[in-house]
Amino acid sequence: MSLVDSTLLQRTVHLLEMIYHDTTLDCHLAEVAQQALKEMRLDEHCHQPALHCDLWDQSSTIMITYGDSLFSEGEKPLLTLKHFLDEQCEGLINSVHILPFFPYSSDDGFAIMDFSSVNEALGDWQDIQNIAKNYRLMGDLVINHCSSRSIWFENFIRAEGAGHDYFFTECPDTDLSAVVRPRTSPLLRKTETPYGTQYVWCTFSHDQVDLDFRNPQVLLQFIRIVRLYLDMGVRIFRLDAIAFLWKRAGSSSINLEETHNVVRLFRLLIEHAQA
């Protein structure tokens, strides 16, 4: 590694130590850090991002829209959106935030079934890339949870395959009265698995099952997702429901220090990937 790469590795390890300081891991954080840099393709060509760079000014005008807000007969909605931006918003809009455009099962797109593909009803990755060519594209990284109909959760129920150990569970007898939530549904979802009954944490709904970032493999999976989104043209990331990411019994489980350090880690990696 170059000097810059070595410094980046050290900073990544430091943040991982801060994230996982209170957990018992069967892996070495230096190896996790190296894997994170590899997933972001920062292992060979890495440049320092500009310091104190203003990313927003008075010219920053962002449209926020669902991918299917506009319709035109015979066109997929993302293509219609591109035509609208080009023909009706020229000189007025320079950035666009497309709300979750992935296959989903509920909550207007925020219960994602597959983070790696575009909802076929909207279009495809080529449509996303075409918009990103002319507009600064913002995308949602729905990082706290995924759909109960995702392959990850199906594998959790089967106790095998990718995702079988991705979800946060808690004993139903634990005192969780301090937990802050935006919903009134029961926090824990009773789920039968080959290992017996599990109670899965659901901050929002029982169709939105919470991921367990105490497992570094979950973190690495989302680093891969970020790399994909960068490759597809996303340049601004909105971290959906990020405040609820880290949970701890006996606490409010909102805005915990581990969560802030996860944000710092993603910012570090994204800034270097975009430099």
Side-chain angles (χ1 to χ4, degrees):
M1 278 192 169
S2 68
L3 178 61
V4 174
D5 288 337
S6 298
T7 301
L8 179 57
L9 177 61
Q10 293 170 3
R11 293 175 67 187
T12 303
V13 171
H14 175 65
L15 286 170
L16 289 172
E17 289 172 345
M18 295 174 70
I19 294 167
Y20 293 108
H21 69 97
D22 196 31
T23 61
T24 301
L25 301 175
D26 58 358
C27 61
H28 297 290
L29 291 180
E31 295 175 0
V32 176
Q34 290 173 338
Q35 185 64 29
L37 299 185
K38 181 179 179 181
E39 298 293 351
M40 287 292 282
R41 298 202 295 275
L42 296 175
D43 50 340
E44 295 179 1
H45 304 289
C46 178
H47 305 281
Q48 281 282 23
L51 297 176
H52 311 299
C53 177
D54 291 331
L55 300 178
W56 315 95
D57 60 28
Q58 67 276 11
S59 69
S60 301
T61 308
I62 303 177
M63 171 193 285
I64 180 170
T65 178
Y66 280 100
D68 59 356
S69 293
L70 300 170
F71 288 94
S72 181
E73 187 174 353
E75 282 186 349
K76 288 294 181 74
L78 287 173
L79 180 57
T80 303
L81 174 61
K82 177 65 162 58
H83 290 161
F84 177 80
L85 288 165
D86 292 346
E87 298 166 11
Q88 305 297 326
C89 303
E90 184 179 4
L92 302 174
I93 301 294
N94 58 25
S95 306
V96 58
H97 174 193
I98 306 178
L99 291 158
F101 46 80
F102 315 100
Y104 71 98
S105 56
S106 64
D107 198 22
D108 293 327
F110 287 92
I112 295 178
M113 297 167 60
D114 179 5
F115 289 83
S116 64
S117 64
V118 175
N119 184 346
E120 292 182 357
L122 303 179
D124 56 27
W125 279 120
Q126 187 61 58
D127 294 313
I128 294 294
Q129 289 179 299
N130 287 340
I131 292 172
K133 288 177 182 177
N134 301 106
Y135 304 90
R136 190 164 55 162
L137 179 62
M138 181 188 296
D140 286 273
L141 186 65
V142 182
I143 194 170
N144 178 70
H145 53 261
C146 68
S147 168
S148 66
R149 292 171 53 192
S150 67
I151 187 63
W152 291 347
F153 196 64
E154 289 176 1
N155 286 344
F156 171 81
I157 293 172
R158 290 195 295 259
E160 62 182 18
H164 78 277
D165 56 353
Y166 279 12
F167 296 93
F168 197 102
T169 62
E170 186 56 88
C171 174
D173 297 328
T174 302
D175 181 4
L176 300 174
S177 59
V179 173
V180 173
R181 296 183 62 219
R183 300 288 190 270
T184 58
S185 57
L187 176 60
L188 301 181
R189 166 185 165 144
K190 185 178 180 180
T191 305
E192 300 300 331
T193 76
Y195 296 122
T197 303
Q198 301 288 321
Y199 293 85
V200 181
W201 192 294
C202 298
T203 298
F204 290 86
S205 77
H206 282 196
D207 187 43
Q208 293 163 288
V209 283
D210 281 32
L211 295 150
D212 188 356
F213 276 81
R214 293 174 303 178
N215 178 359
Q217 292 306 312
V218 176
L219 178 68
L220 290 172
Q221 184 66 257
F222 273 86
I223 289 172
R224 295 183 196 104
I225 291 167
V226 166
R227 181 68 261 179
L228 171 65
Y229 293 0
L230 286 169
D231 291 342
M232 294 299 109
V234 174
R235 290 298 174 265
I236 308 170
F237 289 84
R238 175 184 174 271
L239 304 182
D240 177 68
I242 185 66
F244 305 99
L245 183 77
W246 203 269
K247 300 97 162 93
R248 184 181 300 113
S251 77
S252 64
S253 294
I254 185 171
N255 288 324
L256 299 186
E257 187 60 28
E258 291 88 347
T259 295
H260 287 277
N261 285 316
V262 169
V263 174
R264 292 183 180 103
L265 176 62
F266 274 100
R267 177 165 184 164
L268 176 71
L269 298 177
I270 290 170
E271 285 184 340
H272 280 79
Q274 295 193 140

